[in-house]
């Protein structure tokens, strides 16, 4: 009985210590994925071959967009350096096998979170980084104003994407006859539409806005108001390494929390002196939340300093003042009418 009592006393003390923010917790050992990332010295991120605003190589081959910035944030959190990331370009069809095989550590390339991909393919999705939906783009000269006017049309779509299945479901539900023209990549699909091989191009509406901005005269093309699906876009990792999953998703949560708390890339250093307990925990001034994931105490601070908060990332790549020209909408903070919401760090 005395031994049992001592064990229960030790367990109670340990639980109490874990619940108190002021009690230091030792850094846990790195799990297999974080250990491998540190051993090779970089994060391997599955990237988009070309989606303006979300992921596209620039003239120097540097990947620019929201998704590359999320990968840089994760690299900063895990390795302390946003430059320690290698981008592996993946097609829609190669995303899942490349992640399953271990070729990449994380996929962040306009990846829709679905039950089939998570439960059936051995993946785990992080927080939704963009709430989207599938739409259609047409040439203004056609006079088409609504999607149901596309009966009999040839519609370009990318293979291996949720868009292909959604298009078939939508046509069947609405008893429309459409002729899908399927291509390997979004870039091939865009080129086919641009060359006149199809009457319409269907894709996530936000990506259509990006592609529209790349045309010689964007005004010649119209994105129809109809949205035919839910497309929650999120980064994904392999199942089986809960520590890596925690590190990835809490880095994204930290970027959202930073916007909510007014922490930016520019003021993060000054915010270390903030009396706000939420900010102090976010930036690692108090608590040992980073070490609980085998990360530095300043993991979130490093990520925010590297790429800014979620709002900064959004406005830099797809916001109203960019060629993509999107409004925040659903992707605004919950406190401003959107549905962007992150759990607290405490």
């Amino acid at each position: 009985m005395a031994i049992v009592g001592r064990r229960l006393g030790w367990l109670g003390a340990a639980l109490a210590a874990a619940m108190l923010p002021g009690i230091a917790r030792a850094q846990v050992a790195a799990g297999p994925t974080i250990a491998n990332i540190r051993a090779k010295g970089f994060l391997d991120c599955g990237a988009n071959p070309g989606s303006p605003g979300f992921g596209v190589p620039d003239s120097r081959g540097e990947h620019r967009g929201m998704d590359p910035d999320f990968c840089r944030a994760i690299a900063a959190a895990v390795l302390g350096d946003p430059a320690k990331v290698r981008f592996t370009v993946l097609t829609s069809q190669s995303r899942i096998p490349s992640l399953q095989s271990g070729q990449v550590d994380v996929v962040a390339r306009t990846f829709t979170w679905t039950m089939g991909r998570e439960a059936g393919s051995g993946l785990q999705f992080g927080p939704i980084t963009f709430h989207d939906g599938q739409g259609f783009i047409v040439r203004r000269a056609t006079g088409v104003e609504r999607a149901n006017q596309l009966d009999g049309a040839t519609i370009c779509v990318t293979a291996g994407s949720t868009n292909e299945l959604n298009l078939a479901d939508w046509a069947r539900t609405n008893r429309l006859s459409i002729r899908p023209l399927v291509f390997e990549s979004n870039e091939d699909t865009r080129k086919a539409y641009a060359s006149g091989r199809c009457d319409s191009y269907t894709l996530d509406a936000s990506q259509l806005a990006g592609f529209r901005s790349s045309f010689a005269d964007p005004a010649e093309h119209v994105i129809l108001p109809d949205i035919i699906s839910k497309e929650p876009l999120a980064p994904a990792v392999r199942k089986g390494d809960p520590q890596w999953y925690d590190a990835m998703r809490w880095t994204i949560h930290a970027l959202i929390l930073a916007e909510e708390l007014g922490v930016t890339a520019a003021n993060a250093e000054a915010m270390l002196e903030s009396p706000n307990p939420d900010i102090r925990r976010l930036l690692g001034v108090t608590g040992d939340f980073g070490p609980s994931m085998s990360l530095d105490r300043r993991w979130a601070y490093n990520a925010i300093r590297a790429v800014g908060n979620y709002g900064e990332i959004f406005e830099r790549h797809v916001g109203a003042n960019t060629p993509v020209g999107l409004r925040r909408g659903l992707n605004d903070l919950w406190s401003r009418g959107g549905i962007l919401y992150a759990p607290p760090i405490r």
Side-chain angles (χ1 to χ4, degrees):
M1 289 296 293
I3 293 174
V4 171
R6 285 196 298 271
R7 285 178 177 172
L8 289 175
W10 174 86
L11 178 60
L15 289 173
M19 295 172 65
L20 292 173
I23 299 295
R25 293 183 287 273
Q27 178 157 336
V28 302
T33 306
I34 290 180
N36 180 57
I37 290 169
R38 288 177 176 155
K40 63 187 179 181
F42 61 88
L43 170 75
D44 203 322
C45 177
N48 206 310
S51 180
F54 289 88
V56 61
D58 63 17
S59 59
R60 298 182 300 169
E62 292 290 330
H63 286 258
R64 303 297 178 192
M66 291 189 71
D67 290 330
D69 275 0
F70 292 135
C71 283
R72 291 185 178 97
I74 297 169
V78 176
L79 298 169
D81 186 349
K84 291 183 177 180
V85 56
R86 184 176 72 182
F87 294 99
T88 299
V89 173
L90 302 175
T91 65
S92 295
Q93 291 179 305
S94 66
R95 290 176 298 190
I96 293 175
S98 294
L99 188 54
Q100 290 171 325
S101 68
Q103 179 186 358
V104 296
D105 303 307
V106 59
V107 167
R109 62 158 317 285
T110 54
F111 203 10
T112 298
W113 182 359
T114 69
M115 181 179 178
R117 287 172 172 173
E118 186 159 87
S121 298
L123 310 185
Q124 282 186 297
F125 285 82
I128 297 171
T129 53
F130 200 94
H131 297 84
D132 213 342
Q134 185 171 335
F136 299 87
I137 190 169
V138 298
R139 293 168 184 80
R140 187 178 296 277
T142 65
V144 171
E145 296 180 347
R146 300 304 299 259
N148 60 12
Q149 294 175 260
L150 293 171
D151 191 26
T154 299
I155 301 179
C156 284
V157 65
T158 303
S161 65
T162 54
N163 303 133
E164 187 178 10
L165 175 61
N166 294 338
L167 178 63
D169 286 349
W170 169 77
R172 186 179 301 111
T173 299
N174 291 278
R175 299 180 179 179
L176 299 176
S177 175
I178 55 99
R179 296 186 295 274
L181 196 57
V182 183
F183 295 89
E184 174 71 17
S185 69
N186 283 343
E187 181 60 15
D188 289 339
T189 314
R190 185 192 71 82
K191 288 179 179 178
Y193 169 77
S195 67
R197 294 183 62 186
C198 46
D199 304 303
S200 176
Y201 174 19
T202 186
L203 184 67
D204 298 351
S206 63
Q207 292 183 70
L208 287 178
F211 284 124
R212 180 178 179 271
S213 72
S214 70
F215 292 134
D217 186 357
E220 292 182 354
H221 305 269
V222 177
I223 298 173
L224 301 181
D226 305 272
I227 299 297
I228 67 170
S229 72
K230 293 186 293 184
E231 303 297 323
L233 307 182
V237 298
R238 291 179 298 281
K239 283 183 179 176
D241 189 341
Q243 182 192 80
W244 173 230
Y245 178 56
D246 283 346
M248 178 272 286
R249 66 185 180 129
W250 277 102
T251 299
I252 304 300
H253 284 321
L255 301 178
I256 297 170
L257 287 170
E259 182 180 11
E260 184 177 335
L261 294 169
V263 181
T264 67
N267 72 14
E269 181 75 26
M271 283 291 195
L272 293 172
E273 304 300 324
S274 172
N276 185 324
D278 288 327
I279 293 175
R280 293 175 70 80
R281 286 190 291 266
L282 171 68
L283 300 181
V285 178
T286 59
D288 290 294
F289 299 98
S292 70
M293 302 182 290
S294 191
L295 305 181
D296 187 87
R297 290 183 64 183
R298 298 289 173 86
W299 61 281
Y301 168 84
N302 291 336
I304 298 161
R305 287 274 289 176
V307 298
N309 62 41
Y310 179 91
E312 291 179 280
I313 295 170
F314 184 101
E315 295 302 336
R316 181 163 60 242
H317 297 296
V318 301
N321 295 320
T322 69
V324 180
L326 300 179
R327 298 188 180 278
R328 291 290 293 268
L330 294 178
N331 297 294
D332 210 341
L333 295 175
W334 65 278
S335 55
R336 296 200 298 250
I339 58 175
L340 204 65
Y341 191 101
I345 295 176
R346 62 170 180 260

